[in-house]
Amino acid sequence: MSQLQSSALARVKPSATLAVTAKARELKRAGRDVIGLGAGEPDFDTPDHVKAAAVAAIQRGETKYTDVDGLPELKAAVAAKFARENGLTYGTDQIHVAPGGKAVIYNALVATLSPGDEVIVPAPYWVSYPDMELLAGGEPVVVIGHEADGFKLKPEALEAAITPKTKWLILNSPSNPTGAAYTREELRALALALARHPHVWVMTDDMYEHLIYGDFEYTTIAQVAPALYERTLTVNGVSKAYAMTGWRIGYAGGPKPLIDLMRKVAGQTTSNPSSISQWAAVEALNGPQDFIGERRDAFERRRDLVVSMLNQATGIRCPKPEGAFYVYPSVEGLIGKATADGKVIDSDEVFATALLEAEGVAVVHGAAFGLSPYFRISYATSDAVLEDACRRIQRFAASLS
């Protein structure tokens, strides 16, 4: 098998979040009472008007190949969304559509990275960023965003990480896994640092844009720093806000030369996203948006529930995030303790494994996201399930000695 696997793939780890979700499903099939809190997808259904648009597209015979990187109608809808919600002006030739946000990001990295090029990745990071960079031939440079700084990248840390080989900075706000979101002032401070390094491009993953809580004002970096517009790729998609994870539609706006390169990659790999999904996405972006606020309110209520219950657990500290549907609690207070059968909790991975074995709660350990000792919970499930899961976590934490 070692002769079969490429050297590029040998550098890559399997997705920890997908592995946890698969393990939870396996245990459930075996009859275990398992609560899976690893999946990063809304529990709400795709809105009916979006599903109806997909059915109508099928009935119209919209089942053929489309342009490699998206229907003109979808590109127009994306451009209108960027103008309406983000104050960003893109022509349709500056829009790229792909089978999911992951494909958008990967297309950009493959299109631009040469061996030795570096990509700055603030940690905690979405598990796929470093591995996609490695597959594309680049080198991830991980910079820690500490809990004391809200898990966010500081300008001085950014500048210290920049070298002549730096090609990209990836910013994810609100963040997967922490839910942390950058304020307008924080983005401006990062932009000032980037202004001194014109060879660095910026990729913003804004997938959780509509899941922002309280009075927090969402902004994206090209919006608050127009000077970065010509070297920023603004990535988004319909998966989270519209509960369309399985439809696989991601999109981005950026400079035309970059978009042209990404189209070239797509033309020799995936080709176009599903035509049916694209027509559904047109309706999602152009149609009624009122349900987004209602669902956001439900997520905010769930966030508050989980944060409160976890902060009542022995040895667990849970910061309150600004957005997304994740919390990233610390288990620092449990490190060194032992389970009833004598297993020592010496890492967040051991904690997550022991929790699953003892209480049937599946979470993702913090090392997978580049910062320990923490774990990630997705609260994209019902209040009742979350209460049950948090009670189990409380019971498990209290049982350690």
Side-chain angles (χ1 to χ4, degrees):
M1 183 62 72
S2 61
Q3 295 177 342
L4 177 63
Q5 180 174 257
S6 71
S7 58
L9 192 59
R11 305 169 76 196
V12 172
K13 302 181 297 295
S15 168
T17 52
L18 295 180
V20 167
T21 302
K23 180 65 173 177
R25 287 174 178 159
E26 178 187 333
L27 290 172
K28 283 182 179 180
R29 285 194 294 268
R32 280 287 306 277
D33 175 18
V34 172
I35 299 176
L37 300 179
E41 63 178 351
D43 57 315
F44 298 110
D45 195 12
T46 303
D48 287 342
H49 65 280
V50 175
K51 291 190 285 187
V55 173
I58 293 171
Q59 292 174 335
R60 290 196 309 273
E62 304 278 7
T63 56
K64 309 298 183 183
Y65 293 133
T66 72
D67 291 347
V68 165
D69 60 347
L71 289 162
E73 293 86 349
L74 180 51
K75 289 187 175 185
V78 170
K81 177 265 181 247
F82 279 131
R84 178 178 70 245
E85 297 182 351
N86 308 112
L88 294 173
T89 300
Y90 294 112
T92 54
D93 59 354
Q94 294 178 274
I95 301 296
H96 182 85
V97 181
K102 186 179 286 188
V104 173
I105 295 167
Y106 189 62
N107 288 350
L109 294 173
V110 169
T112 58
L113 291 180
S114 298
D117 283 347
E118 297 173 349
V119 181
I120 295 175
V121 185
Y125 47 69
W126 178 44
V127 295
S128 293
Y129 294 143
D131 291 298
M132 285 196 289
E133 291 147 18
L134 290 167
L135 273 174
E139 298 293 336
V141 176
V142 175
V143 183
I144 300 297
H146 296 283
E147 182 183 342
D149 298 318
F151 297 118
K152 289 179 271 191
L153 178 66
K154 303 295 284 186
E156 54 271 24
L158 167 60
E159 283 210 83
I162 293 174
T163 75
K165 295 181 178 181
T166 305
K167 179 64 70 74
W168 287 98
L169 161 68
I170 295 183
L171 284 177
N172 177 208
S173 175
S175 159
N176 174 3
T178 66
Y182 288 85
T183 66
R184 182 182 293 267
E185 292 72 26
E186 288 168 337
L187 290 175
R188 282 190 177 134
L190 293 174
L192 284 173
L194 289 164
R196 293 186 282 270
H197 303 277
H199 67 291
V200 180
W201 285 66
V202 187
M203 188 185 305
T204 68
D205 181 349
D206 299 348
M207 196 63 70
Y208 298 90
E209 168 188 8
H210 288 292
L211 299 179
I212 287 285
Y213 309 125
D215 57 1
F216 190 94
E217 178 194 4
Y218 179 82
T219 49
T220 192
I221 199 164
Q223 178 183 8
V224 304
L228 293 179
Y229 174 88
E230 290 297 336
R231 52 185 169 119
T232 297
L233 183 70
T234 304
V235 180
N236 212 313
V238 297
S239 62
K240 312 302 181 181
Y242 300 95
M244 294 176 67
T245 50
W247 297 77
R248 309 310 300 139
I249 296 292
Y251 58 78
K256 185 176 182 299
L258 172 60
I259 297 299
D260 290 344
L261 294 176
M262 293 168 64
R263 183 184 309 112
K264 185 176 179 181
V265 174
Q268 296 293 5
T269 53
T270 60
S271 192
N272 65 273
S274 159
S275 59
I276 307 307
S277 296
Q278 288 189 67
W279 282 108
V282 170
E283 176 61 24
L285 293 173
N286 288 344
Q289 308 289 305
D290 53 318
F291 65 93
I292 294 177
E294 297 169 3
R295 295 180 176 187
R296 182 175 57 239
D297 291 345
F299 280 127
E300 184 170 9
R301 184 184 67 248
R302 295 169 179 180
R303 176 202 63 171
D304 293 345
L305 168 68
V306 170
V307 168
S308 174
M309 291 190 71
L310 290 180
N311 277 323
Q312 296 172 49
T314 303
I316 293 178
R317 181 180 67 252
C318 185
K320 189 175 184 177
E322 293 89 359
F325 41 65
Y326 308 105
V327 291
Y328 200 62
S330 168
V331 291
E332 184 179 9
L334 299 177
I335 298 298
K337 294 190 174 185
T339 63
D341 59 359
K343 180 181 293 182
V344 176
I345 306 297
D346 58 7
S347 70
D348 48 37
E349 185 169 8
V350 171
F351 167 84
T353 300
L355 173 64
L356 180 58
E357 292 173 351
E359 292 287 353
V361 177
V363 301
V364 187
H365 60 285
F369 305 103
L371 186 63
S372 295
Y374 296 86
F375 66 100
R376 190 196 76 172
I377 279 180
S378 167
Y379 53 83
T381 188
S382 71
D383 294 42
V385 168
L386 291 171
E387 286 186 24
D388 186 6
C390 288
R391 280 194 296 269
R392 296 187 193 193
I393 294 171
Q394 289 174 346
R395 186 166 60 223
F396 176 71
S399 73
L400 301 176
S401 59

